[in-house]
Amino acid sequence: AQTVTQSQPEMSVQEAETVTLSCTYDTSESDYYLFWYKQPPSRQMILVIRQEAYKQQNATENRFSVNFQKAAKSFSLKISDSQLGDGAMYFCAIYGGSQGNLIFGKGTKLSVKP
Amino acid sequence: GAGVSQTPSNKVTEKGKYVELRCDPISGHTALYWYRQSLGQGPEFLIYFQGTGAADDSGLPNDRFFAVRPEGSVSTLKIQRTERGDSAVYLCASSLIWTGGTGELFFGEGSRLTVL
């Protein structure tokens, strides 16, 4: 079975600052994918960034980047130059080859203060 | 459509009643997923379809829950004899193909079910 753990129920950051959200996971799959999804109050989950486990290079999408430590099974999200619109729930998720669905963590609520 | 559409947005029902939740995926997406999100939790997998057939229904909690996708497009999640513990947001997602490879699911805004 695959599991995802997000140990920070809530985080806050000052506008324009940088914040890192933590995620650890467990899987027996050799080939898997990791994701960060954002869920604003509208409830719609939006993909922020994804990482293929076989790639050593950390994924980057504009202000969002990940620190993928495969041996440690760690997948943290860094948000640079935080904006008010970044305030939302953030979910870490894993997709593994033998399962046709995503497994999510419990989420981290991020507040951005002006 | 432009995105995944879910109806109703909110549903309040009484314990013991029957409920149907509808999902209209992005046109052309063959894979469709249902998740349940309880308050303060991450989405929990229920079932997913490849075309018309349920490829994996291992997440359905019991036989009161059932989902169909008769024409490979719109899907309906059906809950019989609702219980207060069924109260949650039910999220639907679709993807162009089975997620192997890209893994990106496109989500709707969910249906919030409240059982009194």
Side-chain angles (χ1 to χ4, degrees):
Chain A
Q2 298 179 115
T3 60
V4 176
T5 302
Q6 293 180 251
S7 59
Q8 306 155 315
E10 296 188 28
M11 292 282 285
S12 67
V13 63
Q14 209 70 28
E15 195 176 6
E17 297 292 305
T18 295
V19 64
T20 299
L21 308 184
S22 301
C23 172
T24 58
Y25 62 93
D26 194 19
T27 181
S28 58
E29 301 284 344
S30 57
D31 185 20
Y32 55 91
Y33 300 79
L34 296 161
F35 305 85
W36 279 97
Y37 275 86
K38 172 185 178 182
Q39 187 179 42
S42 69
R43 304 194 303 235
Q44 186 176 28
M45 303 280 280
I46 302 165
L47 179 65
V48 174
I49 197 165
R50 65 173 166 259
Q51 173 83 40
E52 293 89 341
Y54 64 85
K55 289 187 178 179
Q56 292 186 336
Q57 187 173 5
N58 288 325
T60 299
E61 285 288 340
N62 301 315
R63 298 181 296 106
F64 299 87
S65 62
V66 298
N67 183 5
F68 175 45
Q69 301 291 326
K70 191 171 184 178
K73 294 185 178 176
S74 171
F75 183 62
S76 60
L77 174 69
K78 185 171 82 170
I79 306 174
S80 303
D81 185 25
S82 297
Q83 301 177 0
L84 294 177
D86 294 334
M89 287 292 294
Y90 285 81
F91 293 94
C92 180
I94 186 170
Y95 168 80
S98 64
Q99 289 187 261
N101 67 85
L102 290 177
I103 304 296
F104 288 88
K106 290 188 175 182
T108 296
K109 182 178 180 180
L110 177 65
S111 301
V112 181
K113 299 180 180 179
Chain B
V4 177
S5 176
Q6 291 188 247
T7 55
S9 180
N10 289 283
K11 175 71 176 178
V12 180
T13 191
E14 294 180 345
K15 180 175 178 291
K17 298 290 189 182
Y18 170 80
V19 167
E20 288 190 354
L21 306 176
R22 175 189 166 104
C23 173
D24 197 344
I26 293 172
S27 178
H29 281 194
T30 60
L32 185 146
Y33 304 76
W34 284 100
Y35 284 82
R36 177 170 69 175
Q37 187 175 20
S38 300
L39 191 63
Q41 302 294 315
E44 176 188 20
F45 169 74
L46 295 177
I47 184 172
Y48 95 91
F49 291 87
Q50 259 301 108
T52 60
D56 183 352
D57 64 358
S58 62
L60 294 177
N62 52 59
D63 61 6
R64 295 187 298 105
F65 288 75
F66 190 70
V68 296
R69 193 185 186 200
E71 297 179 356
S73 178
V74 171
S75 175
T76 304
L77 179 65
K78 307 180 180 190
I79 310 174
Q80 299 177 324
R81 305 183 303 281
T82 52
E83 299 177 357
R84 292 193 180 87
D86 298 335
S87 297
V89 173
Y90 290 82
L91 295 169
C92 177
S94 69
S95 67
L96 186 59
I97 56 174
W98 188 38
T99 58
T102 69
E104 181 170 5
L105 304 188
F106 295 84
F107 284 83
E109 295 188 352
S111 294
R112 181 182 298 280
L113 175 65
T114 302
V115 182
L116 301 176

